Amino acid sequence: MATIHIIRPHVQGLAQARRIALAWVQELQVEYQMECHYQKTKSRDALEFSGKGVSGTLHITAKQFELDVELGLLLGVFKTRIEAAIVKNLDLQLALALVPAKE
């Protein structure tokens, strides 16, 4: 079984980090048909997700995202590609969150 571990610091704060994580939940559910369970606490949220050949947890705090993913045997072959896609998507979401909204 292949594993992916990614930590991304951010400066958005917990409210914006939650918005980013909830958008990711939508993507996981719609695009990848994954089951997702989101748990909020006062200072740290957790998103647990699972699908065919993949499961993991995203921990969300006011200062960082921490992602742990376990890939099944078939998806483990594509670990490098999957990890690169996750990093690219997360970094893009963090960058977009820094752009001021137009009024």
Side-chain angles (χ1 to χ4, degrees):
M1 190 171 284
T3 60
I4 297 172
H5 181 78
I6 300 168
I7 295 176
R8 280 293 182 273
H10 65 81
V11 295
Q12 280 79 8
L14 186 56
Q16 181 65 18
R18 282 181 173 146
R19 284 191 279 280
I20 292 169
L22 290 171
W24 199 52
V25 166
Q26 293 288 335
E27 183 178 342
L28 291 175
Q29 290 175 326
V30 172
E31 200 165 322
Y32 301 105
Q33 293 80 46
M34 289 199 190
E35 298 239 355
C36 299
H37 302 282
Y38 197 94
Q39 300 170 341
K40 282 186 181 182
T41 67
K42 188 174 184 177
S43 62
R44 180 180 174 114
D45 294 359
L47 164 63
E48 295 178 2
F49 57 91
S50 62
K52 292 183 180 181
V54 63
S55 64
T57 305
L58 174 65
H59 293 282
I60 302 106
T61 69
K63 296 185 179 190
Q64 79 175 19
F65 289 99
E66 184 172 358
L67 178 67
D68 289 298
V69 180
E70 291 186 13
L71 302 172
L73 188 60
L74 294 175
L75 289 178
V77 174
F78 301 103
K79 176 189 176 202
T80 303
R81 280 189 194 170
I82 293 168
E83 185 170 9
I86 292 169
V87 166
K88 181 179 177 181
N89 184 280
L90 181 55
D91 288 346
L92 175 63
Q93 295 304 318
L94 290 171
L96 289 173
L98 291 174
V99 176
K102 292 183 181 180
E103 292 185 22

